[in-house]
Structures are given as structure tokens and as C-alpha cells.
Amino acid sequence: MPNGSFWPGEYKPSAYASPAGSKGESVRKYDYIIVGGGTAGAVLANRLTADGKHTVLVLEAGYSDSRQVFSRIPAAFPFLFQKDADWFYETEPQPNLNNRRMFWPRGKMLGGCSSMNAMIYQRCSPDTYNDWAAQGNEGWDWAHMQPYFEKSERFLPSADFPTDKVHHAGNGPWKTRAAAFTSPVTRAIIGAGDAIGVPKIDDLNNPNTQVGSARLQSTVDENGRRHSTSQAFLTKDVRRRKNLTIGVGVLTTKILFSDDRKRAIGVEFAQKKGTAKRYVVHATKEVLVCTGSINTPQLLMLSGVGPAAELATHKIPLVADLPGVGQNMADHLACSAVYYTKCKSLEHLKHEIKSGPAVLQWVLAGKGGLTSNVAESALFFRHEDLKGPEEPSLDVVPPPGAPDIEIIGASVNYINHTLDKLPARDSVTLIPIHLDPTSRGTITLKDTSPWSAPRIDPNYCATENDRRAMLFGMKTAIKLAATEPLKGQIHMSFDFKKPKALAHLRGKGEFADLDDAALEALWKDTSSTLYHPTGTAKMGLSSDARAVVDARLRVHGIAGLRVVDASIMPTIVRGHPQAAVVAIAEKAADMIMEDVKLSGGVSRSSASGSQEEPGLEVAGDPLALPKAEPAA
Ligand SMILES: Cc1cc2nc3c(=O)[nH]c(=O)nc-3n(C[C@H](O)[C@H](O)[C@H](O)COP(=O)(O)OP(=O)(O)OC[C@H]3O[C@@H](n4cnc5c(N)ncnc54)[C@H](O)[C@@H]3O)c2cc1C
């Protein structure tokens, strides 16, 4: 179905903003402007409008996720890549990965990456949050964070996953569950994990142990549809709130500041690429930047907030010299070992005709293979616990119960984000991931156009430590494959004739025969992002030169400006970050409401309390991508 073509409506910026150049008093105002209606932005929009006291404008560059059919079907998420709802980024050449430029997808629609991701729900190990607090970020330890995970979650119990057996909450808006579909090979992976010393566990969200072999839990609803933060937090009822306005298809180009440059007062945005026409809208209280780990540093720098030297290079007038903007980026690097399976995998779902019955089953019953989040199982373990006595420890050894390596089991051939067209054969991909990298990357500006992608340099595997972890992950994946009951379910030999992603490893062979040098060539060829960039607007004390926001997520040195998204993480979580991003947004909403109460709590926006129409006509979903709209 062509996205949005049945819903040609378009929400006009003139309904909620003023043309640039308007006189001060005539500029439209909201209490809060949320830039980016993504994973975090959708949560904030809901929470800040709940009591009806404040007006909120959300500005999102993409359109609604509701009409993105590949977003709604869990197993179809790779079909979103490199299309209109993807920012479709590419990294700088990576010297430690054969100088490859690597594809980085990011969700460009309501719900952001939560509308595109693999839906794994994991709160991750408490020690990471305790570490954030130990760095001086008061209130970010696990004891303070756990209630925010619980606030957002509505766990859907099932016969084999009853509520009383698991560590979940039931009253929030965001639906989570045990994997909606379990492929035959998934149980074999968990059994083999147990056999190699990574014990089988039921609930990966038990804060007492984050190590083990487990079925992954996912943000899929009871009808087998993805439950993005947009679906969860921007429901029809929420969208109908009179104090919430959502503008889509608009790129925020700049944050606006007061004349003394000490306070953020609004934003400027554009609707179409190439047009000089700009709109402005003012925030009487705060601008909340929720544009994610790549676009947040870009937007801050384009607005004059960032490293002075870098801004000077681009002749951007300085608002605040914050050297940490765009620095400190951590990502999880993943590599792949693909085995052909003897049992049925999800591979047939890639085939237009063979997938027919599964499509029917999904549409009619919300069940079957298409409800799988593809990454159905995983082993989480410590290198320290599995390494032999002769192997030195990694530089950073997490505490017992906290993992530093993960191996995902995906019941499909998942080489190169599935972009390489490979012979359709039932497959499983074992995907080792280093969860605790010591390498740090950067986001810098290529130029001053808000339409240009920034320069993305994850600087993968710059340290010997990280390279050793990747090799160990690969070796453990191969050991896993050679262990029953997985061994009996797969063919041990590979046969890679075509994939671009395997320049150094083509032809036939057996993984078990590969020596360290060959394995290194393999992980350097097959590795790709696990899509988890974080830390580019790090939270920390003002004495920390790399810190961009304080523990209340306020940008250091500027009033009325906060960052609320994955970029604020001081260190990367040892697992999958979307649940942490949602908890961050929940906590941010509470802090914003606390602060407004302290300041008197009176709404100052012109729209507040007025009879302004709701920002969204839900009946026709004008937030869907309009037919004639060129992709921005
Ligand atoms: C393919 C993929 C698979 C993943 N799998 C998982 C998984 O299984 N489990 C997990 O926990 N995590 C996963 N992640 C990571 C996780 O989804 C992200 O870390 C998290 O969702 C990021 O949330 P965010 O709010 O920081 O940013 P986003 O969700 O990216 O939100 C940013 C929003 O801002 C908008 N925006 C950006 N710039 C502008 C601008 N200038 N003007 C207006 N709007 C703008 C964007 O369009 C987007 O909607 C995955 C990510 C991807 C891409």
C-alpha cells in the first residue's frame, strides 16, 4: 500500500506558526515546543498535556507511522530501510572496518525509531543507571529509574509468561509482552546457550540478573501490531486534547534565543526542502529537543550551541560554547554468522508470494510469523565469565550479573540489514554484539544546511579492547552453533557467493575451521550498527567539559532549553536502549512539571485555555504522508 496515498490531507504550518519576520506579539506561542515526535517526544507530548494546563506543540520532520504498513507489521521493519520514513544516514569510512561507510537507519515519523526498530524491550542492567548517578547525576540511579520504567509499561501476560513470574508493570500505556512468535530454532539457541554456560532465564527484565539465555520481549500489542511510542502515547484520545498540536512534515532548522542569548524562546522551521520560506513559533516556557542522538547535536550546533571552534569554522554565531555537543558518541557494533537451518525460519516472509499465507494470518488474526520481532532470542554474558584462564580480561569488567557481550539469535538471514539479496534458504543469524565499547565517536557538521546530514563518525573499534571483544563474541557464536541442541538444527557449512558485505569471505567453508585472522576478517566485513547511538549531548556536571545537559536535562548555561532523548546518556546501556529512552522521557516530564510548579505554574501562552482547535483531525489522519509531498 503506498504510504498515506488515501489520506491526502496536510496540516498547514500557518495554522500553528507564524511566517518568519512576523512582529514579536503576533508570533504564535505555546508553553512547550517539543522538537521531534519520536520515541521520547511522543511520551513527553502525552505527559505534558495530561492535566490540560499547558499548551504543547510537537514539530516532527516525518509523518504518521500509522500508515507505514511496514512499521505496523513487526517482522517487516527492515522494509522501512532506505525509504521515505528513514533518515537513511551513512557514516564516515571506518578505518578499523575495512574503511567501509556504514548504513545507519533512523526512524523519520511519529514514534521515531520506536516505529522502525526491532521492538526488543529491555530495561538493561541497574548498574549503568547507578553509574550515571555516581557521575554526579542525582536521581538517575536504578532506585529512581525503576518507577519510570514501570510507569510507562503495560505488560501483556500469556500462559507461559504470567505476570506473577516476571518483573513487569501493568498500568502504563506502552504494551510489552514475551515474544509474540517463537521460531523452532529459537528454543535450540537458548538450550545451546545454557549448555555453554549462559544459563536459561525466563525474564530478561529481572533487575537481579541481566545475564542469561532468554527469549526476548517485545513492544508488540495483543493484535500482533508494533506498539511504537506514537501508538502508545499519542492515541486518538491524546491527539484530540485541545492543548496538544502536532505539526508533521516540518524540519526544525534552528532554535531561537533571546537577545542576550541566555534563554531559548522558540524555533524556526521549514516545510519543504529547497524553499527559503521559514516559520517561527515561540515557547513561553521551554523548548524541548527530542531529535535523537544524531539530529540533536546537529540542531544544537546549527543554532549556535556547541564547540566554539567547530561553530567558528562554519561561521555560526556562538550562543554557548559547549565542547561536548556531538562528542562522546557510543554505539553497539554487531557482526553476523549466518547458518542455514534444517527447520523452517522466517526467511519465506521476504518472498512476495510465499509470504501470502502469513500476511493473511496477520491481517485476520494478528498471529503468525509476521508478529515476530525477528530478534527472538539472545544470550547476554560477561566475557569474564566465559573466557578461558589464559585469555586476559577486557579493560572494563562489568559487575557480576551485568553483561558486556550479547549474541542475538535472529531466525532469518540478517547480513547487511537484509539489504543484500541472498539465495532464499532457511537461516539463522547469530549476531554477537559488544555492549560496553570503550571507543567514542562524534557528530560534526558537514555544512550549515539543516537539510544536509551531519558527519557521523562512530569510530568503531578504535581500541584494542573493543576489537578483542568482537573476536571473542564471534568465537562464542561459533561455539554456540556447534553445541546441541542448536547443532542438530543447522548446517555447519557456509556458502557465501554474492553478498557485498562479505568481501573477504566468499565461497564454501565451515565457520569452525576459521582461525583468528579469518574470523577477524569476517567480523570486519559483516559488522554493522545495532542502531544504538547514544551520548552526544551527555548529561553531567558543569565541571565536566563534555557535559551538555545537567541532571534535570537543562542545557548548561541556557534557560528554557532541555534535551530529552538517547543523546543524554552519559554511558551507553548494556543492552537495548528504547525502554531507557522512554524512562528518560517519563522522568523528564515529571521534572518539567515540578519546575513549572515551582515557578508558579501559570500558563503564559496565548493559546492556553483558548478555544483553539485540536492539532489533529483524527478522522482523516492528516498526519499521514501526503500524496504529492516530496520526501524531505
Ligand atoms: C532499525 C533499528 C532497530 C532498533 N532496535 C531496537 C530494539 O529492538 N530495541 C531497543 O531497545 N532499541 C532499538 N533501537 C534503538 C532505539 O529505537 C533508539 O535508541 C531510540 O528509539 C531512540 O529514541 P530517541 O527519542 O532518542 O530518537 P528517535 O526515536 O530517533 O526520535 C527522534 C525524532 O526526531 C525527529 N527529528 C529529527 N530531527 C528533526 C528536526 N530537525 N525537526 C523535526 N523533527 C526531527 C525524527 O524524525 C524522529 O521522529 C533500534 C533502532 C533502529 C533504527
Side-chain angles (χ1 to χ4, degrees), residues 381-394 397 468 472 476 479:
F381 57 89
R382 289 199 317 163
H383 168 267
E384 192 68 11
D385 295 335
L386 255 59
K387 75 177 184 65
E390 73 294 346
E391 168 132 6
S393 299
L394 291 175
V397 178
R468 278 206 295 127
F472 188 80
T476 312
K479 185 172 162 190

Side-chain angles (χ1 to χ4, degrees), residues 39-40 60-61 87 109 113 117-120 252 295 531 566 576-578:
T39 309
E60 166 55 41
W87 286 87
M109 59 192 131
C113 288
N117 67 20
M119 291 151 281
I120 298 164
T252 299
N295 298 45
Y531 322 107
H576 299 260
Q578 66 163 344

Side-chain angles (χ1 to χ4, degrees), residues 35-41 59-62 77 81 87 89 105-114 116-122 250-253 290-293 295-296 299 373 414 530-534 564-567 575-579 581:
V35 186
T39 309
L59 295 174
E60 166 55 41
F77 73 87
F81 295 164
W87 286 87
Y89 286 129
R106 302 314 286 168
K108 186 180 189 179
M109 59 192 131
L110 288 176
C113 288
S114 78
M116 165 187 267
N117 67 20
M119 291 151 281
I120 298 164
Y121 178 83
Q122 188 188 13
V250 286
L251 186 85
T252 299
T253 50
C290 304
T291 46
S293 294
N295 298 45
T296 286
L299 181 61
N373 70 319
Y414 202 86
L530 198 71
Y531 322 107
H532 297 171
T534 55
V564 185
D565 58 28
S567 68
H576 299 260
Q578 66 163 344
V581 172

Side-chain angles (χ1 to χ4, degrees), residues 487-548:
K487 186 179 175 190
Q489 297 267 14
I490 58 182
H491 298 281
M492 298 308 288
S493 52
F494 60 78
D495 182 1
F496 297 135
K497 291 193 193 81
K498 290 189 187 141
K500 271 192 290 187
L502 292 170
H504 289 74
L505 188 70
R506 289 188 177 175
K508 296 187 183 192
E510 297 224 358
F511 284 114
D513 294 340
L514 299 178
D515 61 14
D516 282 8
L519 282 177
E520 186 169 315
L522 181 65
W523 72 253
K524 287 186 171 179
D525 265 351
T526 62
S527 51
S528 55
T529 176
L530 198 71
Y531 322 107
H532 297 171
T534 55
T536 50
K538 166 189 164 166
M539 170 171 65
L541 299 171
S542 57
S543 53
D544 175 351
R546 294 235 161 164
V548 175

